[in-house]
Structure formats: structure tokens, C-alpha cells
Amino acid sequence: MKRTDFKLDKMKNKCIGILTSGGDASGMNATIRAVTRAAIYNGFQVKGIYRGYEGLIAGEVKELTTEDVSSIIQRGGTILKTARSEAFTTPEGRKKAYDVLRKEGISSLIIIGGDGSLTGARIFANEYDDIICIGLPGTIDNDLYGTDFTIGYDTALNTIVECVDKIRDTATSHDRIFFVEVMGRDAGFLAQNSAIASGAEAAIIPEDRTDVDQLEKFIGRGFRKTKNSSIVIVTESPKDKNGGAMYYAERVKKEYPQYDVRVSILGHLQRGGAPSAYDRILGSRLGEAAIQALLEDQRNVMIGIRNNEIVYVPFAEAIKNDKPLDKSLIRVLGELSI
Ligand code: ATP
């Protein structure tokens, strides 16, 4: 018997659970479809768990067939719904989740989510080692270490660029400075790359926030000397109270009253919409790779993509490390926005 035949035989009739957790990201549906179809193709049974860890604890589980995931690759959001779960952060909550998995006969759990979701998966996997956990990076923030891209990032980036193009029209007509706030939590990938792609004058990002006041840097460079509008993309900053587009706009209003300043917070617009072709392909590849990983006896890993190749990243590595932003991007934006 070939090695793969043996694996297939061993895994046959085993049941895989799949859930989406944390913030929704476009491309999650493409990933659910890929996991479901690749699993069924390889002889597994698949059960969808609704509303993330919260729904798992509540026992919201239903079998998924190939038909259940048809015509969803092009849809944003997640058909499994998602949630944040306080209960899952407690040992009692995780015990309930474990009991539901046992009752449903689920022996492997595939978690699509961001940093928090994979942190939860890691803790759970350490407590209950008879459940195999595999993570898939699903977040618009692109902030997971060990993968070049996360599912949903490309779509959100394109949405931001489309919005900034529109803001540019009105900014130019009125000779205004716009501070545009984008998502990203503690990571500046969305802000930095959308600034480059939309021809914005500057990006204010967490990775560059420590030493020099970025607003001073931007103004010191002499913004608006040669332009009749300026756009500055700012990463939201829940942890840093002195951040966000409002903060910078207020400062410019006070310190440079001659300028006409406006703020635009893109908010949840960034999460919605049909996934880009890139996110559909990424979700399909990573979803299929999750099943291959199970066939190879992998466990407690996140499936990532590096240099266009599938990689297995141990949970501990994906969660503990901060993903660095390529500092040359800061230089590119600086040089091109003179
Ligand atoms: P996004 O990047 O889109 O915000 P995320 O996965 O990082 O996605 P979080 O809200 O941070 O979103 O986490 C999702 C869920 O993961 C939490 O609601 C919680 O149930 C679980 N989780 C997060 N951290 C832990 C933890 N330390 N222990 C157990 N569970 C956790």
C-alpha cells in the first residue's frame, strides 16, 4: 500500500470541524469552500461550526456538503458567521467546547482567523491533545508572522485604494488635506501599502511611531509646497490614545490654521465586498493545504504562504512574533511623494 493510500485509509470517515473567528475577512468563504471540498475529496466528513468559538461552546454545528459551499467563492463575509468569545478565554468555556467536539465526533478542528483566534487555538490544543488543530490566517490586517499574506488583506487594500481615489477628487477640488483612517490594529501594512498605491503624501503607521513625531516629519518635508491637495493615511490606534486620524487632524487645525483639514474614517467598508481574485486563490490554496497537512499528520500549525510556497508555521511562532513591515516601503513612499 502506498504511503498516501495508508493515510487516506487511516483518515477515512474522520470528521473535521471548521470555524471562522474574530473579524470577518473577504476570502473566508473561498477558504471554507476549499477546506470542505478538499476534505470530502479525501474521504473526510466535514462539520461547519457557526459563530466561531462562541457557537462551538453553544453546540451550533451542522454537516457541510459540497453543495452547501457552492456559489460562495465570490461572496464576502463568512457563511459560518463569526464572533468574539469571552467564554472561550476561560478553561470552563474551552471544556464546554471540547465536550461539543467529542459529542459531534470531531477529531480535527480547522480555525480560520487572526492572531487572537490562533492564540485561542494554541491554548486549546495544549489542553486537549486528542483534538488536532490547524490554523488558517484570515484577517485583513496581514499581521500574522510566518505568512507573507493573510486571507482578506488584498481585498481590503484594494477597497481602501478605491476609496482614497474618490477622496482625492474632492480633496483636489477644495485644496484640502485629508487624514484617512484605515484598519490594521497594531500593524501598518494596510496604511503603508494603500498610501503607495493611491499616491498619498504620507502614511502614519504604528511601526514608525516611536522615535520621531510622524506629523512633524511630514510637515517638515514641506508638504503642499507643490500640491493642491494632500492625503495622509493613518492606521487606527486602539492601544495608543494619541493616535488615529482625528488626533492628527486636530493638531494640524491648531498648529497650522491656514490649512483646510478633513477626516475620513473608512471603518467597516474595508471589510465588505467580493474577494479579489488573489484572496480567492489564496483561500483556495491554503484551505486545500490544510487538508494535506492533516494527511501528513501535522498538528498545531498555521498554514501560511512564503515566496508563493505553502509553509507550516507552528502556532507558537505565528503568534509570538511581530510581523515586521519591510522598511523599504517607508522609503518608497517618502521618495515618491515629494
Ligand atoms: P482579527 O485580526 O480580525 O481581529 P482575531 O482572531 O485576532 O481576528 P480576536 O478578537 O483577537 O480576533 O480573537 C478572536 C477570538 O479568539 C476571541 O474572541 C477569543 O474567543 C479567542 N481568543 C483570543 N485570545 C485568546 C486567549 N488568550 N485565550 C483563549 N481564547 C482567545
Side-chain angles (χ1 to χ4, degrees):
M1 194 157 47
K2 278 193 312 196
R3 186 176 145 79
T4 43
D5 291 344
F6 169 74
K7 292 280 182 207
L8 287 183
D9 196 48
K10 195 178 85 168
M11 302 311 280
K12 201 131 192 121
N13 301 324
K14 289 222 168 173
C15 181
I16 298 174
I18 173 170
L19 61 81
T20 48
S21 168
D24 64 306
S26 232
M28 280 182 163
N29 280 330
T31 316
I32 295 166
R33 172 181 178 271
V35 167
T36 304
R37 294 219 166 143
I40 292 171
Y41 178 86
N42 284 291
F44 295 97
Q45 185 192 18
V46 187
K47 290 189 175 173
I49 297 156
Y50 290 78
R51 294 196 309 113
Y53 294 130
E54 193 72 358
L56 172 58
I57 291 168
E60 296 171 27
V61 181
K62 180 183 156 293
E63 182 165 359
L64 291 178
T65 64
T66 51
E67 291 78 26
D68 289 325
V69 294
S70 71
S71 211
I72 65 167
I73 194 168
Q74 75 281 14
R75 284 167 54 190
T78 158
I79 59 159
L80 291 178
K81 305 199 180 284
T82 185
R84 315 227 187 233
S85 172
E86 199 52 46
F88 196 75
T89 62
T90 67
E92 300 75 35
R94 292 193 293 275
K95 171 74 171 66
K96 281 188 194 157
Y98 175 74
D99 290 342
V100 170
L101 292 175
R102 291 304 302 260
K103 179 172 149 269
E104 294 287 342
I106 295 171
S107 52
S108 306
L109 183 61
I110 295 181
I111 303 103
I112 308 171
D115 192 48
S117 303
L118 299 193
T119 302
R122 183 184 179 218
I123 293 168
F124 183 76
N126 284 342
E127 286 171 347
Y128 300 102
D129 65 2
D130 52 335
I131 305 287
I132 298 169
C133 291
I134 301 282
L136 290 171
T139 167
I140 67 168
D141 301 337
N142 202 30
D143 60 349
L144 280 162
Y145 185 88
T147 185
D148 291 343
F149 297 105
T150 57
I151 298 155
Y153 168 67
D154 182 69
T155 305
L157 185 60
N158 279 289
T159 302
I160 293 168
V161 171
E162 214 180 300
C163 293
V164 175
D165 287 348
K166 290 178 178 159
I167 289 169
R168 172 78 71 187
D169 290 343
T170 171
T172 309
S173 303
H174 288 274
D175 286 354
R176 278 179 178 149
I177 301 174
F178 263 86
F179 286 87
V180 180
E181 185 173 300
V182 301
M183 288 181 170
R185 292 229 227 175
D186 302 318
F189 296 96
L190 282 173
Q192 190 68 28
N193 283 315
S194 65
I196 292 173
S198 62
E201 279 59 42
I204 296 181
I205 57 171
E207 290 86 343
D208 202 21
R209 197 171 270 165
T210 43
D211 45 358
V212 192
D213 184 322
Q214 292 184 70
L215 186 64
E216 292 299 335
K217 212 161 81 177
F218 168 55
I219 289 169
R221 269 207 327 257
F223 77 123
R224 287 174 67 84
K225 271 193 186 144
T226 57
K227 305 182 179 193
N228 63 2
S229 73
S230 289
I231 292 184
V232 181
I233 315 280
V234 186
T235 305
E236 64 181 352
S237 72
K239 278 193 188 156
D240 174 3
K241 286 192 188 93
N242 286 336
M246 280 295 188
Y247 165 77
Y248 288 102
E250 286 308 319
R251 273 192 54 191
V252 174
K253 272 186 208 164
K254 246 191 236 143
E255 296 167 31
Y256 306 90
Q258 70 272 31
Y259 295 134
D260 190 9
V261 181
R262 292 290 186 278
V263 169
S264 181
I265 296 172
L266 298 188
H268 288 84
L269 265 179
Q270 296 162 86
R271 290 194 180 279
S276 65
Y278 184 85
D279 274 329
R280 297 180 198 199
I281 295 166
L282 183 64
S284 299
R285 287 183 71 187
L286 296 184
E288 194 270 347
I291 302 305
Q292 290 302 320
L294 286 177
L295 292 171
E296 289 170 20
D297 281 342
Q298 293 286 337
R299 56 189 305 145
N300 306 341
V301 292
M302 177 191 83
I303 315 290
I305 190 150
R306 249 186 255 154
N307 300 323
N308 204 28
E309 284 191 8
I310 298 292
V311 289
Y312 301 146
V313 187
F315 281 155
E317 202 184 309
I319 293 155
K320 275 213 178 124
N321 296 302
D322 279 341
K323 182 172 170 180
L325 183 124
D326 181 350
K327 289 285 159 64
S328 73
L329 295 171
I330 296 174
R331 191 187 66 233
V332 170
L333 180 62
E335 288 184 13
L336 302 189
S337 61
I338 52 170

